[in-house]
Amino acid sequence: AGAAAFAPAQTGKASTALNAAAEYESYPGVLDPVGFFDPLGLADKADPALFKKYREAELTHGRVAMLATIGFLVGEKVEGSSFLFDASISGPAISHIPQVPAEFWVALIASIGAAEQFRAEKGWVNPSDTPVDAPGQLLDDYTPGDLGFDPLGLMAEDPEEFFEMQTKELQNGRLAMLAAAGFLAQEAVDGKGILEHFSS
């Protein structure tokens, strides 16, 4: 099953262009009072396949941002302890990257590569089967975000609860993208760690 994240609710009608605001109201992530938020009108220019790729990208970036936000806080909290890298990492989180030993980067890049390979095989059409002018197509039966990974069995069985869970993940991911960007900007401006701001 997995976190079949973020397919639109089935309305029973086919659409060749996603350009009606009412159509979006049935999607996860749409909340009052804003409704469907698309100030640049990207969805109006997207066919269903492209909109599906937009949703996949939003989910992926949201999940990475949630991890990054926690990473900022945890990295700064355990600074100076022997828990990580023999207490050799210090300073604001944005300065941690050049301090990390090379061996860590090898393991990290290999892990990211394996995760991306798994994701590509799960959701994308094989590049040899796609037209040259239309790369990066998602499989028709793939639901954005559903990698079949639910080790704790948290995915709701009830459709309403599942829809609510989808919306919560999208909203938390959106907030985390803003938070991570804010953390980066704040630390770049004054050179202080995020936690240091709370204690000063």
Side-chain angles (χ1 to χ4, degrees):
F6 320 88
Q10 296 300 314
T11 60
K13 63 176 183 176
S15 174
T16 56
L18 298 174
N19 57 8
E23 187 172 349
Y24 299 124
E25 297 304 319
S26 64
Y27 280 60
V30 177
L31 293 175
D32 289 331
V34 177
F36 183 77
F37 184 72
D38 183 20
L40 300 179
L42 297 175
D44 287 339
K45 302 171 189 128
D47 60 20
L50 181 56
F51 188 82
K52 191 174 175 181
K53 285 201 288 189
Y54 285 163
R55 182 49 55 98
E56 175 72 14
E58 181 179 21
L59 282 163
T60 302
H61 286 90
R63 289 170 178 174
V64 170
M66 286 188 273
L67 291 171
T69 303
I70 291 172
F72 262 93
L73 302 175
V74 171
E76 292 179 4
K77 183 66 177 171
V78 299
E79 177 188 315
S81 73
S82 59
F83 171 65
L84 291 173
F85 307 115
D86 200 26
S88 62
I89 309 291
S90 62
I94 61 171
S95 70
H96 290 182
I97 290 175
Q99 299 177 55
V100 174
E103 298 80 16
F104 173 80
W105 288 109
V106 173
L108 181 65
I109 291 169
S111 299
I112 291 171
E116 285 298 299
Q117 178 70 27
F118 174 77
R119 196 167 72 94
E121 289 175 359
K122 187 85 173 167
W124 270 262
V125 175
N126 190 315
S128 64
D129 298 332
T130 60
V132 174
D133 61 344
Q137 295 180 7
L138 291 172
L139 295 168
D140 290 336
D141 62 347
Y142 174 70
T143 301
D146 184 6
L147 302 176
F149 183 73
D150 186 23
L152 300 177
L154 299 176
M155 190 175 100
E157 299 290 333
D158 178 68
E160 279 187 32
E161 289 179 24
F162 181 63
F163 187 88
E164 185 179 344
M165 185 179 285
Q166 290 177 314
T167 296
K168 286 178 180 178
E169 182 178 11
L170 276 165
Q171 295 294 349
N172 284 314
R174 291 165 180 168
L175 180 61
M177 286 187 271
L178 292 172
F183 286 0
L184 285 164
Q186 183 64 53
E187 291 193 357
V189 166
D190 63 12
K192 291 182 178 179
I194 295 302
L195 295 178
E196 192 177 344
H197 286 94
F198 293 124
S199 60
S200 60

